[in-house]
Amino acid sequence: MLQFKDVVATGTAALDSGIGDTALKTFNGETYLYSTTGPGGGIVSWRLEAGVAAQAVDQQYFEATIAHQVGRIGIPINLVDGDQLILDVDNATGLIGYDLNTDGTIGEIHETNSLSGGGDISAATQMTVGAHDILTLVHEDTSQLATYRIHADGTLNLINTVVGQANEMQSLQADSKQFVVAIETASNSILSYSVDQNTGTLAAVDGNASNQTLGINAPTAIEVVQAYGKYWVVIAGSESNSLSVMELSGSGRLRPTDHILDTLHTRFESVQDLAVVEIAGRVFVLAGGGDDGVSLFTMTPDGQLIHLDSFADTLESGLQNVETLSAAHVGDELQIFATAQQDAGLTQLNVSVADLGVVAQGYGWVTGTAQDDLLSGGILDTTLNGGAGNDILITGTSSTIMTGGAGADIFVVRQNSGPSVITDFEIGTDRLDLSDYAFLRTPAQLDFTSTSTGARIAYRGETIELISDTNAPLTSTQVFGAGFGGPDHFPVDLGSGPDNNASEGLAGTFTLDSATQNLAVKDAEIRFTPDGGSPLTAQANEYGEFALDVPDGVFPGQLEIIKSYSTASNEITALDALQVLRISVGLDPTWGPAVAENFIAADITRDGSVNALDALAILQVAVGQSTEHDAEWVFLDAIVDLSGITRNNVVYDTGADVTMVDEALSIDMTSVLLGNVEAV
């Protein structure tokens, strides 16, 4: 897919070597690329046209006053009197940039009014807030992120500052709100900031600590994109050799959806830069670094990366230690431009996007076109039919039947899918992608059985029925070759367990609402099983927020909440054991008659009656001894009839019947902590 086109250069070392940044800008339908070198260098503009290599339009050496103070970044912004490429200049008092003319030429140098943090910047991003254009800068000298309002005369007026550093940042509008996301390499920081819609004031967003569990080391690049009705952030980790995808919520919090590591089959070790492009509803991600090449991925509607191709450096190309990447949609091509630390000039790679088809996700029958489609199964049984073209077919959470049709198809089987059937696997042409399976590193880990028409594959309780296009038996080598290609995927959520879903809860009745914070269920596992489908699970964050990824529509089903007991809360004590002993012999608790919720809390063994064994188990929990009957929270439908519960008849159903409408649910529930009799 990735095709080498050319290495373009001006022929002048000061402009061709050590290119530290590239940036894209479109004027009157024409796309231009600007390459920037460091001290003693300058800027070159290149016109991008379909079918040909980039053409140099203009060049500008840095003025003598800044030539030895300028850094290696160039960021396009729009001021009132036109566009500029702003620079990082030591000792500058204002922001310095060169005019970008609409014909692709480079104009005069300008400096704004003096800024509180000066013109020594490491990152910048621009956005519109209300009726105002806002510019956020990272001032290296003062270690501050500063937000400025751009005035009609081109001056910048400080709105506010927050303490922090960032090597790169991007702005993104999520729903009606504006956010800034930033990375800082030295501290491994990934931060998001909200922008006040009235004032433009910047404020840090709390609740992103979970991103630290991904193991991103030395983040070096960040890109954002709006696609599939959601808002996405992609981050490169240089020392972790990783790419991570996160969904940005309307509150500004980041939820990881994928995390991949470089392998021998990919080319993003020591990754330095990213490029993300949305074309015809499809998202493409490119990455490159110290691996002397570039890797190409597409991103699915659920935020997963699928490896499409990797291009390794050749004698003709110049990709030794890739430094920067930019990608643009030009005609029927995706044009990629890479610069390298060891090679001069711009290496141009092309990918044809002439045959992009539809992106469709659903259940029942999902049918593609004669082009290259991306089809995903839904939460109920699904049949995917790709038709002609080089299609990508992805299983849903229930049973999925996939037919690729003509062309080189990729069949992606997701972890926790229902039984999967592939009806027409073509040896040497089609690809089976199992990279979502946790900790699967080699085909030898699979239970692979040849059948009369293909093969049956099993892994950790999940099965794939593989039928060849010739109805002949298939071997593991025919399906996977010498082994798996592509990157290693690591789970971003290992699921709930006794250690990671235990936190304080709220006893009694509460309203569970998928659109708000639910402190009663923070850190709990939320499990929704649609009628006729397989379970969907999500773990609530520290605020009780969760996303089940249920599509728009009406889906009745069953809701379960799983939450263990946090011993740090000290809610269960020896007094609870004493109360259970009283109940077990027919006495009232010390406060008076017990109610149904008391009996439920007392029956920690869940054997249907309150007895001395419950008291013993509760005492063991209270003093920190091990027990066969751990304390846990149970969640009941608030309208369920509990009138029949007595000390000798503790029978009840957990969970509730719910109906999700357009991804939303709201239901009143009752939470009871088993063992905590006195709190009821």
Side-chain angles (χ1 to χ4, degrees):
M1 295 185 68
L2 286 163
Q3 300 293 324
F4 172 69
K5 181 66 177 179
D6 204 352
V7 175
V8 295
T10 65
T12 303
L15 300 176
D16 295 334
S17 299
I19 297 174
D21 204 1
T22 54
L24 293 160
K25 191 71 182 177
T26 299
F27 296 110
N28 302 321
E30 296 280 351
T31 302
Y32 298 91
L33 179 76
Y34 299 89
S35 57
T36 307
T37 57
I43 306 167
V44 180
S45 66
W46 308 83
R47 180 183 291 110
L48 310 186
E49 298 179 13
V52 299
Q55 303 294 312
V57 175
D58 197 10
Q59 59 189 45
Q60 174 68 62
Y61 291 98
F62 295 131
E63 294 225 351
T65 54
I66 67 168
H68 298 289
Q69 300 181 50
V70 68
R72 299 175 67 210
I73 65 171
I75 304 171
I77 66 168
N78 180 264
L79 295 178
V80 176
D81 55 352
D83 292 275
Q84 288 188 12
L85 191 74
I86 59 173
L87 307 171
D88 166 25
V89 180
D90 290 342
N91 301 321
T93 59
L95 193 62
I96 293 179
Y98 282 87
D99 285 337
L100 301 180
N101 300 322
T102 57
D103 60 357
T105 58
I106 303 167
E108 297 181 354
I109 188 172
H110 297 278
E111 184 172 8
T112 69
N113 55 301
S114 296
L115 304 179
S116 61
D120 187 3
I121 63 171
S122 60
T125 188
Q126 187 173 8
M127 69 203 92
T128 300
V129 177
H132 301 286
D133 286 330
I134 302 295
L135 185 64
T136 300
L137 304 174
V138 181
H139 294 294
E140 292 193 83
D141 292 340
T142 60
S143 297
Q144 290 181 328
L145 278 70
T147 301
Y148 295 88
R149 179 173 290 119
I150 302 173
H151 288 287
D153 60 358
T155 59
L156 304 178
N157 181 51
L158 180 67
I159 297 174
N160 83 311
T161 61
V162 296
V163 175
Q165 276 287 9
N167 296 90
E168 279 199 31
M169 63 182 177
Q170 300 282 348
S171 58
L172 181 63
Q173 182 172 326
D175 299 326
S176 60
K177 301 176 184 177
Q178 199 84 35
F179 297 96
V180 172
V181 287
I183 57 171
E184 207 273 314
T185 304
S187 64
N188 293 326
S189 297
I190 303 166
L191 301 170
S192 63
Y193 300 87
S194 63
V195 182
D196 187 278
Q197 293 301 105
N198 296 315
T199 64
T201 300
L202 207 65
V205 175
D206 295 328
N208 285 317
S210 62
N211 299 324
Q212 298 174 1
T213 63
L214 293 179
I216 301 173
N217 193 2
T220 48
I222 183 170
E223 293 290 340
V224 298
V225 65
Q226 179 179 347
Y228 314 128
K230 298 178 181 179
Y231 312 95
W232 306 98
V233 178
V234 185
I235 295 173
S238 175
E239 294 186 14
S240 52
N241 307 315
S242 64
L243 303 178
S244 303
V245 182
M246 303 177 188
E247 181 186 350
L248 181 74
S249 71
S251 65
R253 297 192 183 98
L254 296 166
R255 180 180 69 89
T257 60
D258 201 10
H259 182 73
I260 64 173
L261 301 183
D262 178 65
T263 67
L264 292 175
H265 307 284
T266 54
R267 292 279 169 172
F268 60 95
E269 181 182 1
S270 302
V271 56
Q272 295 299 305
D273 205 9
L274 294 169
V276 178
V277 182
E278 185 271 331
I279 304 173
R282 289 276 292 275
V283 176
F284 295 94
V285 177
L286 294 121
D291 221 359
D292 300 347
V294 174
S295 287
L296 171 68
F297 305 85
T298 191
M299 191 175 80
T300 69
D302 58 356
Q304 301 269 313
L305 295 176
I306 296 175
H307 180 241
L308 298 179
D309 195 17
S310 287
F311 181 90
D313 193 23
T314 66
L315 293 176
E316 288 110 5
S317 61
L319 298 173
Q320 293 188 71
N321 295 337
V322 171
E323 179 76 9
T324 72
L325 280 173
S326 287
H329 180 203
V330 183
D332 287 336
E333 298 171 341
L334 174 60
Q335 296 186 354
I336 300 106
F337 297 90
T339 71
Q341 296 176 1
Q342 306 299 320
D343 294 307
L346 291 159
T347 294
Q348 180 176 341
L349 305 174
N350 288 353
V351 175
S352 173
V353 292
D355 295 322
L356 289 184
V358 299
V359 176
Q361 184 176 28
Y363 56 92
W365 287 84
V366 180
T367 302
T369 68
Q371 296 179 294
D372 303 340
D373 304 309
L374 174 62
L375 308 181
S376 305
I379 66 173
L380 303 179
D381 292 353
T382 307
T383 298
L384 304 177
N385 193 336
N390 302 324
D391 305 310
I392 300 174
L393 283 69
I394 308 169
T395 59
T397 56
S398 292
S399 173
T400 309
I401 299 173
M402 298 183 284
T403 301
D409 304 310
I410 302 175
F411 300 98
V412 181
V413 180
R414 292 295 189 216
Q415 184 174 336
N416 299 322
S417 298
S420 304
V421 179
I422 298 169
T423 67
D424 62 340
F425 186 83
E426 186 176 354
I427 299 170
T429 300
D430 293 339
R431 173 155 63 95
L432 178 58
D433 185 330
L434 304 181
S435 59
D436 194 51
Y437 280 178
F439 310 115
L440 179 62
R441 299 291 175 263
T442 168
Q445 294 174 256
L446 299 170
D447 183 0
F448 190 102
T449 304
S450 295
T451 66
S452 61
T453 58
R456 184 175 296 109
I457 302 171
Y459 181 71
R460 301 181 71 174
E462 301 192 26
T463 61
I464 305 166
E465 188 75 25
L466 200 59
I467 302 171
S468 73
D469 63 326
T470 60
N471 284 313
L474 293 169
T475 66
S476 179
T477 301
Q478 287 175 320
V479 176
F480 299 111
F484 298 135
D488 282 341
H489 286 249
F490 273 72
V492 297
D493 182 0
L494 293 175
S496 297
D499 295 324
N500 67 353
N501 71 343
S503 65
E504 298 86 351
L506 296 174
T509 302
F510 69 97
T511 299
L512 182 73
D513 191 331
S514 59
T516 63
Q517 295 182 5
N518 305 271
L519 296 180
V521 299
K522 66 177 183 177
D523 301 327
E525 179 184 294
I526 313 297
R527 180 181 299 167
F528 173 68
T529 305
D531 292 349
S534 300
L536 301 169
T537 62
Q539 187 162 348
N541 64 16
E542 60 186 302
Y543 302 96
E545 299 169 327
F546 60 92
L548 285 164
D549 289 330
V550 177
D552 286 347
V554 179
F555 297 97
Q558 295 73 48
L559 181 77
E560 287 280 347
I561 303 175
I562 302 168
K563 182 180 174 69
S564 56
Y565 168 60
S566 171
T567 55
S569 66
N570 295 316
E571 293 178 86
I572 298 175
T573 69
L575 289 177
D576 290 299
L578 175 62
Q579 302 294 2
V580 172
L581 276 176
R582 291 177 62 88
I583 294 172
S584 69
V585 297
L587 296 176
D588 288 337
T590 56
W591 63 78
V595 296
E597 289 82 359
N598 297 128
F599 295 131
I600 292 172
D603 184 22
I604 193 173
T605 64
R606 305 185 77 166
D607 63 359
S609 67
V610 181
N611 52 55
L613 290 178
D614 294 305
L616 175 61
I618 291 171
L619 185 60
Q620 289 172 322
V621 171
V623 299
Q625 291 185 356
S626 60
T627 174
E628 295 180 10
H629 307 288
D630 292 327
E632 62 180 315
W633 290 86
V634 295
F635 296 85
L636 320 172
D637 192 334
I639 65 172
V640 71
D641 183 7
L642 302 178
S643 61
I645 292 181
T646 67
R647 71 181 178 92
N648 294 316
N649 184 45
V650 188
V651 179
Y652 56 93
D653 292 323
T654 59
D657 292 330
V658 299
T659 298
M660 295 201 70
V661 180
D662 295 340
E663 301 184 77
L665 68 86
S666 180
I667 185 172
D668 292 334
M669 303 194 75
T670 298
S671 58
V672 179
L673 175 58
L674 299 185
N676 192 17
V677 184
E678 292 200 321
V680 176

